[in-house]
Amino acid sequence: MAGNDGLRTALEDLRRRLDHDLFPLAVGDAPEHRRALRELVGQLDDYLLPRVAAMDAPLLAVVGGSTGAGKSTLVNSLVDADVTEPGVLRPTTLAPTLVANPADEAWFTRQSVLPGLARTTGGGRGEPGTLRIVTAGTLPPGLALLDAPDIDSVVTANREMAAQLLAAADLWLFVTTAARYADEVPWGFLRSARERSTALAVVLDRVPSEAMEPVTAHLGRLLAANGLAGTPLFSVPEAALAEEDTRLPPASVRPIRDWLATIAADAQARGEVVRRTLAGALDSLAVRVPALADEADRQRAGLADLRRSVESAYGAAMAAFDDGIRDGSLLRGEVLTRWQDFIGTGDFMRSLESRIGRLRERVVSAFTGRPAPDARLEMALSTGVEALIRSAADAAAERTLEAWSGTPAGRDVVERAGAVAAGRLGRASGTLPERAGSAVRDWQGYVLELVAREGAEKRTTARLASFGVNGLGLLLMLMVFASTGGLTGLEVGIAGGTSVLSQKLLEAVFGDQAVRTLTQMARDDLRRRVRALLDEEAARFTALLDDVGPPPDAADGLRRAAAEVRAHRAEIGVPDAAGPQEAGPTRPLPVPQDARDAGPQDAGTTRPLPVPQDARPEPSGPQDRPPAPPADPGERGRGSAPAPGEAPRTWADRP
């Protein structure tokens, strides 16, 4: 319909924005938010988009209600044909049955409505999860009845299916019984109909003749007290049926049948029902979509918190590494020993006086298998730096896993990664030692390049040749780590000597300013390489968050889409309400004249019942309780005698 193009486009845009996994993390009441998202997507697919695209399509009335309310029997009786299979076993309706006039069959078989359900036709009960379509010439054109599963079924899939079908209905024909009309589950659905302004009629089924007037009156008061005054209310008397699949007496259902026929035959009345329900569903988007957008923002905040915990842990690891290279701790143990071999024994000093001394060390090393003192010192330095990197990475991994495990969202992510992966996350990766060793070796090569380049620029080639690039490179490496912080006793003296001697020798070759510059460049390069290693380690955690959660602009996009839908709401021919909280019936549903004139002897009334001044949402006085109806027998025609003194379960009866 051209007049609805703007609204249809806005709804399609909203639907596309709901395709993302908006609530992957255990943030807030995530299961409830996922359920609300599924319901919204389902109503868009099953009802809003098809209905906006075809406002004049046949009216779909869903017959829903509690277990054992007699929905299937009622549908068979209304169409005067055995189209569904009633029974005493629960649940009875496993696959919903849609009954339409042959002229309307094509509309429902081409999956315009409820496109996610496979269609079956012909006899049989149908498979669970499918939509069985049958035709009945006794049903007027323009109207279809859908027998839905129980809203309180013991089977979860059936309850979800019932809710899905009710959300796809133009009209609810809600069936309850004299014994269960005050149960909480049905009223939850009725309040939902009120909040979304869904066109609604209530059928009070299986009412004992002696309880017809008081029970009907009490239900009417409950409807009024819950904001549903004026809802058409039909009362169907209890009838003893010879067999389970027997239909109700025609007189019992005539008011309902005539009322439905009147709506189906009157295009204006049918259009009013459609616009009323459609307007209520559209108005509900103004509340439901922004609420989902707010929760999507919370998901993004939860993801940001997890990322910040990773950044904090690995930032602390980098700080620990910085402390390790500045406080002199690397000059302990093996490095001190090798430094003493290198300097204290005079090997290095002799190598400065004569190249022959250096050649002799290499020859001795070749015959004895021992590396030269400078090689041993370089290896000790490399080993110390690698150990410091691994220690920092292990601490960061442990800290991150602990932080994640302390939040529901983090635990959710870790559990999804699996037990094996979670165990590995608590420590540095198995490839880190190899990567750390390569990074340190590359850094040492960079330091030697610095020394060689600086020597060439300073034109100190003769001095450089006498000291040796490797020797000066080692001294520069020691300058990166040389400090007396954290050292005591003899270590202080050795470290202090290391620092002073290294600095003096380097200054003799390059000058004091150049030495400071070279030292800072060497330290910065080492930090850059270690930072890259730690970033790779952190990526093991952040990779678990990639492609998780809504896109960055998802929440704002949802809000804009909801506003766009509201901007085009008037295209359906209903003025915009002042706000979603004021959404309500546009006018009472039509009631046939003969139904309004019918008395109790004609099987009930559809006339809105008067509401007493003291009507309250939860009646608490005995005057609000009707005389006792029969206990629910679980099937029509069995155990219809009322229990003496027994009253139906009302809110006032609950603790």
Side-chain angles (χ1 to χ4, degrees):
M1 299 181 65
N4 292 340
D5 284 349
L7 178 58
R8 185 177 180 180
T9 300
L11 288 171
E12 289 172 347
D13 178 59
L14 173 61
R15 176 63 183 85
R16 283 192 296 270
R17 294 180 183 276
L18 295 172
D19 276 335
H20 302 286
D21 185 6
L22 298 178
F23 311 113
L25 300 179
V27 175
D29 192 356
E32 174 61 23
H33 305 149
R34 293 168 192 148
R35 182 196 61 77
L37 176 61
R38 288 194 302 270
E39 287 185 356
L40 181 56
V41 169
Q43 190 170 39
L44 282 165
D45 291 342
D46 298 340
Y47 178 66
L48 286 170
L49 287 170
R51 178 50 75 188
V52 169
M55 294 287 290
D56 56 350
L59 194 71
L60 178 61
V62 173
V63 182
S66 303
T67 299
K71 301 182 295 295
S72 298
T73 299
L74 179 63
V75 171
N76 287 342
S77 303
L78 289 174
V79 301
D80 197 22
D82 296 331
V83 292
T84 65
E85 297 185 21
V88 296
L89 300 179
R90 299 289 177 257
T92 300
T93 304
L94 299 177
T97 298
L98 188 148
V99 189
N101 184 278
D104 299 328
E105 181 181 13
W107 168 253
F108 295 104
T109 55
R110 69 171 180 248
Q111 294 188 301
S112 299
V113 179
L114 297 165
L117 297 181
R119 266 56 169 171
T120 61
T121 57
R125 302 180 65 179
E127 295 296 325
T130 64
L131 179 62
R132 177 172 169 260
I133 299 177
V134 298
T135 59
T138 54
L139 198 65
L143 173 69
L145 296 179
L146 200 162
D147 182 20
D150 304 327
I151 59 173
D152 55 356
S153 173
V154 295
V155 180
T156 301
N158 284 354
R159 297 196 303 272
E160 293 175 349
M161 175 68 73
Q164 177 185 0
L165 298 179
L166 288 170
D170 295 304
L171 169 65
W172 287 15
L173 198 60
F174 205 83
V175 185
T176 187
T177 66
R180 304 192 61 182
Y181 69 90
D183 284 1
E184 174 58 25
V185 173
W187 281 99
F189 279 85
L190 292 174
R191 285 191 289 269
S192 176
R194 176 201 64 199
E195 292 165 1
R196 301 182 187 180
S197 298
T198 304
L200 171 69
V202 176
V203 177
L204 182 61
D205 198 10
R206 298 166 53 187
V207 185
S209 57
E210 66 275 16
M212 177 67 72
E213 183 176 350
V215 172
T216 304
H218 188 235
L219 178 54
R221 289 196 296 272
L222 292 179
L223 288 170
N226 281 270
L228 293 168
T231 298
L233 174 59
F234 300 90
S235 298
V236 178
E238 179 70 54
L241 304 180
E243 298 178 0
E244 291 300 332
D245 57 355
T246 304
R247 303 169 206 162
L248 295 169
S252 298
V253 297
R254 183 180 298 116
I256 308 173
R257 183 189 292 125
D258 291 345
W259 181 74
L260 291 173
T262 300
I263 294 176
D266 185 349
Q268 182 178 356
R270 193 168 63 246
E272 176 66 24
V273 171
V274 169
R275 284 190 294 272
R276 170 177 166 175
T277 300
L278 184 56
L282 291 173
D283 288 340
S284 75
L285 298 182
V287 176
R288 298 158 71 191
V289 176
L292 291 178
D294 291 344
E295 296 304 328
D297 277 336
R298 290 186 64 188
Q299 286 281 321
R300 294 289 307 174
L303 285 168
D305 288 342
L306 294 179
R307 291 185 183 277
R308 277 193 293 271
S309 65
V310 177
E311 294 171 1
S312 174
Y314 282 89
M318 191 68 219
F321 178 80
D322 286 338
D323 291 341
I325 64 175
R326 291 178 184 274
D327 65 7
S329 60
L330 279 175
L331 299 182
R332 294 173 176 173
E334 183 71 12
V335 174
L336 284 173
T337 301
R338 296 311 172 193
W339 169 253
Q340 190 172 15
D341 291 343
F342 190 55
I343 293 295
T345 59
D347 291 334
F348 180 68
M349 299 303 297
R350 287 194 301 274
S351 69
L352 298 179
E353 298 170 357
S354 173
R355 299 295 297 271
I356 298 175
R358 180 176 297 277
L359 178 61
R360 183 178 64 251
E361 288 290 345
R362 292 176 180 173
V363 172
V364 171
S365 176
F367 280 98
T368 62
R370 293 185 295 106
D374 60 342
R376 291 196 297 270
L377 177 58
E378 183 178 357
M379 184 179 301
L381 277 173
S382 176
T383 301
V385 175
E386 292 172 28
L388 183 59
I389 294 172
R390 291 197 301 271
S391 175
D394 279 333
E398 183 179 357
R399 188 179 298 113
T400 302
L401 185 60
E402 182 179 357
W404 279 23
S405 299
T407 65
R411 286 195 299 271
D412 192 7
V413 174
V414 172
E415 288 171 2
R416 277 195 265 173
V420 174
R424 293 172 178 169
L425 286 173
R427 57 183 183 276
S429 65
T431 62
L432 179 63
E434 179 181 352
R435 290 184 289 114
S438 177
V440 172
R441 288 191 296 274
D442 291 344
W443 172 71
Q444 291 174 332
Y446 169 77
V447 171
L448 295 180
E449 290 178 5
L450 278 181
V451 170
R453 186 168 60 245
E454 186 67 20
E457 291 176 357
K458 293 291 185 179
R459 299 181 180 180
T460 56
T461 307
R463 291 181 180 177
L464 186 63
S466 62
F467 284 98
V469 172
N470 286 346
L472 292 175
L474 279 172
L475 294 178
L476 183 57
M477 294 176 201
L478 289 169
M479 284 293 296
V480 172
F481 309 116
S483 171
T484 59
L487 302 181
T488 59
L490 181 62
E491 291 178 334
V492 172
I494 297 175
T498 300
S499 177
V500 172
L501 181 58
S502 299
Q503 183 174 349
K504 293 303 181 181
L505 290 174
L506 289 172
E507 288 178 354
V509 177
F510 302 120
D512 57 348
Q513 181 58 44
V515 170
R516 286 193 292 271
T517 301
L518 291 174
T519 302
Q520 188 61 45
M521 292 175 65
R523 182 179 289 119
D524 289 344
D525 185 77
L526 177 59
R527 294 186 73 258
R528 179 183 60 80
R529 296 176 190 274
V530 173
R531 178 77 264 183
L533 289 174
L534 293 178
D535 286 345
E536 292 173 2
E537 289 294 294
R540 297 184 304 142
F541 289 92
T542 57
L544 299 176
L545 306 178
D546 293 341
D547 300 324
V548 173
D553 62 340
D556 290 339
L558 287 175
R559 296 185 184 99
R560 289 193 301 269
E564 192 68 15
V565 169
R566 191 162 189 82
H568 292 279
R569 177 187 182 277
E571 294 178 7
I572 64 173
V574 177
D576 193 7
Q581 70 279 5
E582 298 183 9
T586 55
R587 61 171 176 152
L589 290 176
V591 180
Q593 183 64 39
D594 59 347
R596 287 196 296 268
D597 295 338
Q601 68 278 11
D602 291 326
T605 176
T606 59
R607 182 168 44 248
L609 295 167
V611 182
Q613 288 299 111
D614 61 348
R616 295 177 296 276
E618 295 192 6
S620 58
Q623 68 277 11
D624 288 327
R625 300 186 184 180
D632 189 1
E635 58 174 298
R636 184 176 300 279
R638 293 181 183 264
S640 60
E646 181 179 322
R649 290 168 288 174
T650 66
W651 296 331
D653 296 323
R654 299 181 181 275

